[in-house]
Structure formats: structure tokens, C-alpha cells
Amino acid sequence: MYNKGLFHNWVPKPVQLLLIILLMIVVMPLGGVYTGNVSYMTGGTGVLSEYFIFANYATTIGMGAAMPIVLRLKMRFKIRHKVTFALVLLGILNYINATTMDPAVIIGSSLVLGFLKMVVAIELFLPVMAMIGNRGMFYGVFYAFILIMNQVVGYYAVEISILYNWQHFFIIISILCFVLALIQWIFMHDQYFALRVPLYYIDWLSILFFVSMFMFSAYVLAFGKQQDWIHSTKIINASIAAFVSFALLVTRQTHLKRPYLSFKIFSKSNVLHGIFMLLCLGMFMATASLQNIFAVGVLGYDQLTNAKLNLLMVPGIILAGAVAVYWFKKDKPLKMLIFSGFSGMLGYAIIMYFSMVLEFSYESWYLPMFLKGYGMTVLFVSVWYYTLDKLELNDMLPAIGLFIVWRTFLTVGIFSALFSWFQYHFQVVSLGDMAVYMDGVTISSQSIAANMKTIQLNAIIASNKKIFGYIVLSGFAILAYILTHHFGKERFQYVRYIRLLAGKSVIGRRRMREQKQLAEDIQDVAGTAL
């Protein structure tokens, strides 16, 4: 017997929807580390904050590694067994993160947590997509919901860390995972989704190469500044290891009958342009580090107040979701939707450029954060929609994991590392410029200690202002690129990815039809993973 739903037939439809929403609320914002309480984890464990940045990257890498094989896992196991087992493991991993003081354990558990998160999340996309129908409208609703949940969970992670300690939040998440596992065991059916498929076609060595390539890259991006980049043998060795892993991964894919990843997609024009636009989006998203430096280091906000700033993006996220739903419902071309998204991010950068002053008030954050929330959500929906267009199914599905890692980890990590280096470099330049006007006449030896803080704050402001200036210039260039690039009215055009030869059994044909239909559904919804 097969059942393409998630729950028993006796479960009422409203209850099924409620259970799906509860799962999404808990599972989708899950992470090995929450950026808001990194400072508390650093103080509680006594280790460098770079370890927890590394762990945050590892969660995304685990999600990307799982994406190419979620279809086979879905076809192999009963839904109730798979989801319940994954939720129990997620609860255990969160408990491990709450109790360990070893950063290596947190990094490893974060990697596995991201993998299991994707295994569970793919089960949630399909029914929601079936209810909404239109893929673009689904992106608008789902991204708005997930991004809002991320901001809310990030805020409560900080608040609970302040009221109790950083470990309590992980324990709360762990308990929620165990409770959800029990609920799903009761209400989910114990039937297969379709004909069972074997697992021995999965190339685990390719998964190992994929994970090692990006984990070594994550080490370089997380510890580059702390290790002084190319002056560190560890950074050089990690860079070499990442390149070797990449070479082995590419080489192995060319010799496999069923490759883990497909690199033929890079011959598609929309894929190349989409990857470039995701890179531009990563540049704007990486400004979060500059925003934190300004809010905490210059304005003196505590961590809770700083976390509230992200909640100011919620109105913009809601508006972006509504605009995206309307846009795809009317079947309008993507060009101006993408243009409006980058315009929102550029508007945020322009306001921040002119706001680098000590007198910046909390109310002044409303407009830039609104624009940031709008721009980020619109680009998450529209650019991902455009990037995945016109791809064959057998090439598309394995490459989704690569796109996820590129969008969420690699681009943001690269620009965050660059901004961190330039921020320090421009501070030194700014101090040198100010030193020209400092002597015994302008600053006496008695007042030097009192003025040092002001001097340092002005150096930080000047550094941030210069970086935002370069971002603004890049933003105008991106808008010019968007206006000159031809998007058109994009629609998915699927091509037949397998030809059934004469003589195949009826069961074989049936299996191919079911796999194709499932692959189409997953292709439509897989890009929403964060």
C-alpha cells in the first residue's frame, strides 16, 4: 500500500494543516548555532567565537549535502519512521550542543543537524506546495513565513540566554523535537510513499568529498582573520585541502553512472546569471556584520536590543511576500521584481552610509530595516525562481544542494571575511589620517585617555562608511546589470529525462512514473530550504 500524504486518513484536514505548521515552526529555524547568542556561548565555553561561526556554516553545508539524496530516502523509508527518527536525533543533537563545552563537538553535531533538518523539511514542502499550487506563489508565502520565524527565533534565543543561559534555549528546542516526534508517531501513517528503491545507488564517497570541500572552505572563512590569512600554515593547508576535495569531487562525477552532482547545468545562461545574482545578494546580506559593529560597538546596544533590530525587518518581509504572491499570480515578468529587490537592498545601504554618526537614534532604524527585509525576501523568491528555471530533472535535483550552499554559506562567508579585513584595514588608515591633526597642542597628555574612545569610535565609523560607500557603488552597477539583462516571462519547461526501453516490466514503468512525478514536486519546492 502507498500513501502520498503524511497522516492517517482519519486525521481531519485542519488538524493535518496544524501539525504541518507546528513542524515548520520548530524544524525550519533549527540551527547548530544561533548568531544572536554566539557571544554568550563564547563566554560560557571560553573558546573563540570563530568556532561557532564555523558551526553555523556547517549547518548549511549539512543541508546542501542532504539535498541530492532526499528523493531516494523518501522513496526508501516509511514517512512516519523517517520523520520520527530524524526528530529524535535532532532532539539529541540539540541536547549535545547544550551540554558540551568542546567546540569540535558542536561543529560536528551542527553538520549532522543540517543534514537531518533537510530530510524532515522536504516532507513539509510537498503538501504545502500542493495546497498553494503555483510555484512562485508558494515561494512568496513560504519564504515570508520562514524568514519571519528566523527573526523571531533569533530574538528569543538571545532573550532566553539573558534570562537563564545559552544552554537553556537548546534544551527547550530539544524537548520540542521529542514532543513532535511523539505526535508524529501517533498521527503519521506507516505506509510507503511509493515503490521502494535501494540505497546502494547513493555514492557516499562523493558526499564525503562534498562535505570536506565546503568544511575546509568554512574553516578558511571563519578563521581567516584570526589566523592572519596567508601568513598561517593552517589556512594555507585548509585551502589546499578544499581545492583537492573539489578536484576529487569533480573527477569522480565524470566516472559515475549516477553522479551525486551534475555540472552540466553551468552551461545554462539562466543558471550562470542566477549564480551571479545570488553572489550580489550575498554581498548585501554580509552587511549584517557591519551593522552589528555599528549597533553594538559604536551605539552601545546590548545583545537583546541588537536582536530587536532584526524584528524590524518583519513588516518588509510581509510586504515582500504579498508582492511576490501578487506578481506570480498575475504572471508578470521577473525583471522588475528582481530590480525592486536589489533597489530595496541598495536603499538600505545608502541610508546606512549617511547614518554613520554617533547621534543615530533607534527610531532611525525603521526605514533601513524595512527596506532590508523587503529586498532580502524578494530576492530570495525571485532569484531562486529564475536560477532553477529550464533545467532537466536529472541535472537539477543533485545540484540544488550546491545552490543552497552557494547562496546561504559561501557568498555570505566570502563577503563577511572581506568586510572584516577591510574594516580593520580602513580603521588603521583612518587613525593615521586623524593622527595628522593630533599633537600636543590639540590633545594634551592629561586628556589623551578620555579622548581615545572617541577617536576609536570615529575610526570605526569612518571604516564602516567607506565600506558602505563601495557597496552603494556596486549596488548601482547591479541595478544597471538587471536593467540590461533580458529575463522575459519565465516558465518551467520540463523535458523527458528517461526513455523507457521496450521490454521493461510493468512495475519498472510504474516506478519511473512515480519517481518522475515526485522529482517534479521536489524540484518545485526544494529551493525554499534556508
Side-chain angles (χ1 to χ4, degrees), residues 176-317:
L176 289 176
C177 289
F178 291 141
V179 172
L180 280 178
L182 178 60
I183 294 175
Q184 303 310 317
W185 182 262
I186 296 173
F187 291 100
M188 278 189 168
H189 65 74
D190 59 349
Q191 300 172 356
Y192 288 100
F193 180 83
L195 286 172
R196 295 174 61 184
V197 296
L199 291 180
Y200 58 78
Y201 289 142
I202 297 176
D203 186 56
W204 298 103
L205 187 57
S206 293
I207 297 178
L208 178 62
F209 289 152
F210 180 93
V211 171
S212 63
M213 175 181 67
F214 285 112
M215 288 296 283
F216 283 121
S217 302
Y219 177 85
V220 172
L221 296 176
F223 287 89
K225 181 179 178 181
Q226 190 265 339
Q227 295 284 337
D228 199 15
W229 297 105
I230 61 174
H231 297 94
S232 170
T233 56
K234 292 182 179 180
I235 296 298
I236 294 175
N237 292 336
S239 301
I240 294 173
F243 178 78
V244 171
S245 299
F246 171 73
L248 292 174
L249 178 64
V250 173
T251 303
R252 184 164 180 81
Q253 304 318 297
T254 60
H255 296 86
L256 289 176
K257 182 179 180 181
R258 300 175 181 85
Y260 174 72
L261 293 176
S262 175
F263 296 100
K264 293 186 295 183
I265 60 172
F266 296 107
S267 62
K268 303 287 186 179
S269 174
N270 65 296
V271 171
L272 296 178
H273 286 284
I275 288 175
F276 174 73
M277 286 186 283
L278 290 175
L279 178 68
C280 298
L281 174 60
M283 177 189 70
F284 285 110
M285 291 179 63
T287 57
S289 60
L290 302 176
Q291 177 184 309
N292 290 335
I293 291 174
F294 179 61
V296 178
V298 176
L299 301 180
Y301 292 171
D302 56 43
Q303 291 296 330
L304 187 62
T305 304
N306 188 42
K308 289 180 181 178
L309 294 181
N310 291 328
L311 293 178
L312 299 180
M313 292 193 294
V314 171
I317 295 173

Side-chain angles (χ1 to χ4, degrees), residues 510-523:
R510 180 181 178 185
R511 174 177 294 178
M512 290 300 102
R513 287 196 300 269
E514 291 180 344
Q515 287 182 342
K516 179 179 179 180
Q517 183 60 45
L518 177 61
E520 291 177 353
D521 294 339
I522 291 182
Q523 175 181 337

